[in-house]
Amino acid sequence: MGRRRLSLPETAAGGAIPDPFPPDLQWPFGRLEFLTRDEVRSSAYEIFFIACRSTSAGGRLAFATGDNHEGAKTVAGAKNMVVVSRLKQSLGLRSRKTRSMVGAKPMTSAEIMRRQMGAAEQTDGRLRKTLARCLVGPQMPKKVESLVLPMELLRRIKTSEFADADEYRLWQLRQLKLLEAGLVSHPFAPVDRSPAASSLSEMARSTELQIDVRALSATVMALAWRSVEVCHWADGYPLNVHLYLSLLRAIFDLRDQTVVLDEVDELLELIKKTWNVLGLNRMIHNVCFTWVLFERYVTTGEIEQDLLSATLVMLRHVSEDAMKAERELGYSRALSAIASMYAWAENKLMDYHGGFDKNATKNVVTLAVLAAEMLSQHVPAAAAAAGSSFAAADLIERCIESSARRAFTKLDESGDAGGNSMMVEVEDDPSETLMYVAAQTKEMARVEKDVYAPILGQWHPCPATIAAITLHACFDTYFKRYVSKMAGCLSSESMRALQTVSELDKYLVQMAHDDDGHGGKQLIPYDVNSIVIGLVTEWMDDRLRIGAECVRRARDSEAWNPGSKNEPYAQSAVDLMKLAKGTVDGLIEIHQRWPMSEPLQHLADGIDRLVHQYASFLATSCGAGTKEGYMPSLPPLTRCSQDKRLLHQLLLNLNCGVGGSNGEAAAAAVTTPARAMTRVRPTTSGATQRLYVRLNTLHYMLGVLHSIDRSLAQHGKQRHIIGHRRVRSSSFDRAYPAVESAVVHVTELYKHKARAEPGFKLIKPQRQHSYIIHTRTRRDTTRWRDAPHNHQHRLQDLDRTRYKVSDQDHQMERRRPNAKACHLDTPDATRLHLAPEGSTMN
């Protein structure tokens, strides 16, 4: 009958490594290949139980509880007895003020340890029987450290002491794996690949329920007693450290993982009894205890600052131990925990803006500095592997620069005023994003100066200066990226953003100067004033280029047709003057936030030049100035008969708009034959209509120029400060004369047209001093009515031109007493005011 085999579950090996283990913390003590965390804890408790035994005269075994140890004292109080731990007081750890109880009785240290280690009472019973059998016989060793405990347990514990065969086999395999780890994988002294080692490894990996205990015992003893004087089976590194860390973790309360039990003094005294078996001493104990406190702080989310403070206290003891000359190889290996602690602290300090408060930052910096000093003095290999200086000042400077850069990078990538992606926001309006980033950078610098600089100043002479220089350089790179994008959307918001940048620049320079008298000299200012002038000049030049292109298009394609009935002037002039007005208003708005006289005068000169060019082009577009070119041709005959009284009256009224020989011809037309009597008033020619559009355009340009001139004059009075040159009161020295000259030229052509074309006349309404050019169209209209017309346009402020259109060649139309205007009912009639209000006509 073959031997039974057991199917074993797959378990993750790792020894005493916590699961899950923080990814930013490096495990310093090496790994165990086959033992799991639970298996290491169970084996550690067995070693602890055997090591803490004591014998009385009668041979009975008792647990040394350590209740009366002077390290802790018990204070009788109310219902429970309060244990005051001197160790916790020295480490600055908070007390629970209660003692562990079983019913109405306080628990002994042995009971507390069994509960903390998760051991069952059956385990204690098996261990107690094994210990009694091992230490009673005359041929048995009397010292616990002389026992190879797993071998003794395999020899004396039977299957009947377990609930079933599977539980026994799992226990059996754990003992075999512990023997393999202590004697083959991680021995105290290196072992050759002897037949004994190979045989032990095969037995540990076997799935058979039955093992040859005698053969196993011979193999184990041969490996454990290689040194005649001392038995080595659990004192090899890192197995001994894994076992000891499992015992040390029992000092933390199971209900609150961040709290150390008040009975810690008693428990540690018991745990120290395992030093002989595990090959440890006080120096290695201090390193392991320091690591356990630090490990618990990190694995519980870095929320309990008392644990980090206790770690610092223990780290100073470790530093004192490291100064001693006598150090074992095991101690040098244990110091690798200090390298892991330093790596964690340095990584955190490289981004201390990311979430550390004031107290945590101080403790982490202290941890990093102490660990760096120990590594540089006592672990040269770690210092060489780091590749950077362990000097405190150099470490702090690296951390400040790195943390400031990381914080600014996070702000650049994800921080924005509206909560959206910064890159999208920049495309829409870079000014808003720039203001937000500048404000956040200033706040970052303030926190650095007020919160972190006093802490870091203990190890660095000028931490605020380093932070100011780093933030200044980061923002300078960011600022240059967006200066070019701001030129296309220059506005008052852009100026406000640039003003915020200027304030940030001054704040950082002053911050560096206050921390270090020469720190401000290392910062090169952003020179925002030059950037503003450059952006404004570029923006103005771009607008002026658009205006020049508008004038060029007008020269090429302007037909002098009215844009609409409400705007009877050239569209090119509307585009040009709207551009000029908008640019001036925008620059004045910018100027209110950032005073500067040169760009404002430069813009006024550019507008003056463009209007001068447009007015000159408008005057020359009328032709060479020959009045004969505006003489209209005779109109075609109509079907009107000579007996039409209304026609007769209209022909008589033509005398109001003509004079001289034309008047005589009109009088003769009344007495002519029927062919002559059929004539109606000729229509207005296209050239004449375009003439009216030119006059309306000049009127519109004068109005806008006057508005711009008033805006510049008012702003100049408001912003007139000593040291800033005002824009001169008359900003358009060439534009006004050019428009005036064009008005003179077009008006002279109009006057000749008024004589030559008998289809229109000047109307002077009552109670007004403006004149209306009244024209007839080809539409056959036979009614007069009293009503205002939609196409009256007034040339205001023509007193600048010092021009008046004389009415000596025009007769005034008779008006009824209460009539406002008497004109033909023609929707497309064109009427223009050519004389200024308030003037008198001769």
Side-chain angles (χ1 to χ4, degrees):
M1 184 174 180
R3 295 182 178 180
R4 293 177 55 192
R5 296 180 180 271
L6 179 66
S7 178
L8 299 177
E10 293 185 2
T11 56
I17 303 177
D19 185 24
F21 194 70
D24 56 346
L25 182 61
Q26 181 181 2
W27 178 257
F29 300 114
R31 296 177 178 269
L32 302 181
E33 297 179 0
F34 304 109
L35 287 169
T36 64
R37 186 176 67 256
D38 293 338
E39 290 173 342
V40 169
R41 184 175 63 249
S42 299
S43 299
Y45 178 73
E46 293 172 351
I47 296 174
F48 168 81
F49 186 94
I50 299 298
C52 292
R53 70 99 180 95
S54 63
T55 57
S56 61
R60 295 185 58 186
L61 298 178
F63 233 0
T65 61
D67 290 339
N68 298 323
H69 190 269
E70 62 180 2
K73 59 181 180 179
T74 303
V75 180
K79 181 178 180 180
N80 296 336
M81 303 178 67
V82 180
V83 178
V84 179
S85 172
R86 295 182 178 179
L87 176 62
K88 292 183 66 173
Q89 290 179 346
S90 64
L91 296 178
L93 297 173
R94 55 191 173 96
S95 176
R96 295 188 310 166
K97 298 189 182 301
T98 58
R99 184 177 178 86
S100 302
M101 306 288 292
V102 177
K105 296 175 57 179
M107 297 178 64
T108 65
S109 300
E111 293 171 336
I112 294 174
M113 195 66 183
R114 184 178 68 243
R115 183 194 63 184
Q116 293 294 110
M117 297 295 291
E121 293 185 5
Q122 292 83 355
T123 302
D124 280 5
R126 289 193 294 265
L127 292 173
R128 198 173 285 113
K129 291 179 183 180
T130 302
L131 187 60
R133 294 168 185 171
C134 290
L135 301 180
V136 170
Q139 297 180 354
M140 297 300 173
K142 301 300 181 183
K143 294 183 179 181
V144 174
E145 55 269 21
S146 301
L147 291 174
V148 181
L149 180 60
M151 188 66 250
E152 297 299 330
L153 292 174
L154 288 172
R155 180 186 298 167
R156 303 184 185 280
I157 302 298
K158 306 302 180 183
T159 308
S160 59
E161 307 213 13
F162 293 86
D164 51 39
D166 291 341
E167 181 183 357
Y168 173 71
R169 182 54 180 167
L170 291 176
W171 173 85
Q172 194 178 51
L173 288 177
R174 175 170 64 82
Q175 303 299 333
L176 291 173
K177 288 192 290 185
L178 182 62
L179 288 173
E180 180 188 15
L183 297 174
V184 179
S185 300
H186 310 287
F188 176 79
V191 61
D192 298 332
R193 301 305 297 176
S194 61
S198 301
S199 176
L200 181 58
S201 299
E202 292 177 1
M203 292 180 183
R205 291 171 176 77
S206 175
T207 58
E208 296 180 357
L209 290 177
Q210 299 297 329
I211 60 174
D212 189 347
V213 177
R214 291 185 179 181
L216 177 63
S217 177
T219 301
V220 169
M221 292 304 167
L223 294 172
W225 288 92
R226 285 182 296 163
S227 175
V228 179
E229 299 178 356
V230 183
C231 177
H232 298 284
W233 71 273
D235 52 354
Y237 179 86
L239 175 63
N240 57 348
V241 175
H242 279 257
L243 293 169
Y244 194 67
L245 292 177
S246 294
L247 295 174
L248 290 178
R249 293 194 185 104
I251 66 174
F252 294 100
D253 194 344
L254 296 177
R255 294 169 296 181
D256 188 351
Q257 295 294 321
T258 63
V259 176
V260 176
L261 295 175
D262 291 337
E263 298 85 358
V264 60
D265 295 3
E266 306 165 5
L267 296 180
L268 287 180
E269 287 301 320
L270 296 179
I271 291 173
K272 291 177 182 179
K273 294 181 181 295
T274 63
W275 286 0
N276 291 334
V277 177
L278 300 178
L280 304 179
N281 54 28
R282 186 181 60 82
M283 297 172 63
I284 298 179
H285 162 78
N286 288 341
V287 174
C288 292
F289 189 64
T290 303
W291 172 260
V292 166
L293 294 173
F294 174 73
E295 175 193 81
R296 185 54 56 98
Y297 168 73
V298 177
T299 55
T300 54
E302 306 168 14
I303 59 175
E304 185 56 59
Q305 295 303 315
D306 288 348
L307 290 175
L308 187 57
S309 300
T311 302
L312 296 178
V313 175
M314 289 302 305
L315 191 61
R316 292 186 176 91
H317 290 298
V318 174
S319 179
E320 294 174 359
D321 294 339
M323 300 296 294
K324 299 177 181 179
E326 60 280 3
R327 289 188 300 169
E328 300 176 356
L329 178 61
Y331 181 73
S332 299
R333 291 174 176 175
L335 286 180
S336 59
I338 308 302
S340 180
M341 296 166 64
Y342 169 77
W344 177 88
E346 184 184 31
N347 183 53
K348 288 293 183 180
L349 290 176
M350 289 298 176
D351 189 17
Y352 59 80
H353 288 91
F356 276 160
D357 59 12
K358 184 176 180 180
N359 294 330
T361 302
K362 182 177 181 180
N363 289 334
V364 174
V365 173
T366 305
L367 175 64
V369 172
L370 288 177
E373 291 178 355
M374 291 182 59
L375 293 175
S376 62
Q377 296 175 6
H378 309 296
V379 189
S388 58
S389 174
F390 279 146
D394 296 339
L395 171 63
I396 298 303
E397 185 168 338
R398 289 198 309 271
C399 293
I400 294 174
E401 293 176 351
S402 175
S403 183
R405 287 196 185 98
R406 290 186 182 184
F408 189 86
T409 301
K410 293 177 182 178
L411 178 65
D412 186 8
E413 292 176 350
S414 60
D416 61 282
N420 300 322
S421 173
M422 175 169 291
M423 300 309 295
V424 176
E425 190 72 21
V426 166
E427 295 297 331
D428 296 337
D429 186 4
S431 303
E432 183 179 354
T433 305
L434 187 63
M435 282 189 292
Y436 175 77
V437 174
Q440 292 298 313
T441 304
K442 186 176 180 180
E443 175 63 17
M444 212 185 308
R446 185 198 64 78
V447 172
E448 186 73 39
K449 177 182 178 182
D450 298 340
V451 177
Y452 296 114
I455 299 173
L456 303 176
Q458 301 178 23
W459 297 278
H460 195 282
C462 48
T465 300
I466 302 300
I469 294 174
T470 304
L471 290 175
H472 193 276
C474 291
F475 190 85
D476 184 37
T477 304
Y478 175 86
F479 180 48
K480 289 178 180 178
R481 263 196 350 248
Y482 292 102
V483 165
S484 59
K485 296 183 180 181
M486 294 177 63
C489 55
L490 199 60
S491 62
S492 60
E493 289 297 318
S494 302
M495 293 300 102
R496 191 156 66 95
L498 292 172
Q499 192 172 9
T500 305
V501 173
S502 180
E503 294 173 357
L504 172 64
D505 185 23
K506 296 176 182 177
Y507 182 85
L508 293 177
V509 172
Q510 187 63 37
M511 173 178 167
H513 184 271
D514 293 343
D515 188 53
D516 181 12
H518 303 285
K521 298 180 181 179
Q522 303 180 35
L523 297 178
I524 302 177
Y526 298 143
D527 196 10
V528 182
N529 188 58
S530 299
I531 294 175
V532 169
I533 294 177
L535 288 174
V536 171
T537 303
E538 182 180 355
W539 175 71
M540 286 191 309
D541 291 342
D542 183 63
R543 306 283 284 185
L544 292 176
R545 280 194 297 270
I546 296 175
E549 180 64 21
C550 182
V551 174
R552 188 193 63 78
R553 287 198 307 268
R555 288 174 178 172
D556 296 340
S557 59
E558 183 59 60
W560 304 110
N561 294 319
S564 65
K565 293 181 180 181
N566 295 328
E567 295 183 354
Y569 25 78
Q571 185 61 37
S572 59
V574 175
D575 296 339
L576 178 63
M577 299 313 293
K578 283 184 177 179
L579 178 68
K581 178 63 175 173
T583 305
V584 170
D585 292 344
L587 187 58
I588 289 177
E589 190 175 2
I590 293 172
H591 194 268
Q592 290 175 351
R593 292 188 175 275
W594 209 284
M596 45 187 171
S597 58
E598 290 79 5
L600 203 60
Q601 186 62 57
H602 177 67
L603 178 60
D605 295 340
I607 295 175
D608 185 41
R609 181 176 63 257
L610 291 176
V611 174
H612 173 267
Q613 294 174 0
Y614 192 91
S616 300
F617 151 68
L618 185 148
T620 56
S621 66
C622 298
T626 58
K627 301 175 182 180
E628 291 75 7
Y630 287 91
M631 184 67 67
S633 59
L634 293 177
L637 297 178
T638 66
R639 293 175 292 176
C640 296
S641 62
Q642 60 181 354
D643 57 347
K644 297 289 186 179
R645 294 184 178 181
L646 179 58
L647 176 62
H648 185 267
Q649 184 64 35
L650 290 176
L651 293 176
L652 288 177
N653 287 339
L654 290 177
N655 292 326
C656 297
V658 298
S661 60
N662 292 332
E664 296 175 358
V670 179
T671 59
T672 55
R675 179 180 179 184
M677 294 300 295
T678 59
R679 295 181 182 177
V680 296
R681 185 171 54 187
T683 61
T684 304
S685 65
T688 303
Q689 292 180 354
R690 288 190 290 273
L691 195 65
Y692 303 154
V693 172
R694 289 182 175 90
L695 287 174
N696 282 333
T697 300
L698 292 173
H699 155 67
Y700 170 76
M701 295 179 70
L702 280 174
V704 177
L705 272 181
H706 188 58
S707 175
I708 294 175
D709 209 2
R710 282 200 304 268
S711 298
L712 292 175
Q714 293 175 2
H715 181 69
K717 293 178 181 178
Q718 296 174 0
R719 304 300 302 183
H720 183 53
I721 305 174
I722 298 176
H724 292 278
R725 183 169 61 89
R726 282 181 56 184
V727 180
R728 58 182 181 270
S729 59
S730 181
S731 302
F732 308 111
D733 296 338
R734 293 187 297 172
Y736 279 128
V739 176
E740 293 170 2
S741 177
V743 169
V744 171
H745 180 70
V746 177
T747 303
E748 288 296 330
L749 295 178
Y750 152 72
K751 291 169 62 179
H752 181 73
K753 185 67 176 176
R755 296 187 182 95
E757 186 173 336
F760 66 93
K761 52 193 170 184
L762 282 178
I763 298 177
K764 182 178 181 181
Q766 293 182 357
R767 295 181 295 277
Q768 293 187 15
H769 298 286
S770 302
Y771 287 82
I772 302 174
I773 301 176
H774 191 95
T775 64
R776 294 287 300 276
T777 64
R778 294 177 180 175
R779 180 174 300 181
D780 186 10
T781 307
T782 59
R783 290 187 305 150
W784 297 75
R785 67 184 179 87
D786 297 337
H789 199 274
N790 293 330
H791 299 282
Q792 296 186 10
H793 303 283
R794 192 181 299 266
L795 279 175
Q796 298 177 354
D797 299 322
L798 270 177
D799 54 322
R800 288 181 177 276
T801 64
R802 300 178 301 279
Y803 243 146
K804 297 179 181 179
V805 180
S806 175
D807 62 346
Q808 61 182 354
D809 295 330
H810 307 279
Q811 299 184 12
M812 308 306 298
E813 177 180 343
R814 295 178 178 273
R815 309 294 301 278
R816 289 192 297 276
N818 295 327
K820 293 183 179 179
C822 184
H823 57 84
L824 290 175
D825 188 9
T826 55
D828 53 350
T830 306
R831 303 187 301 161
L832 296 174
H833 296 272
L834 293 181
E837 295 184 4
S839 62
T840 59
M841 307 300 292
N842 295 326

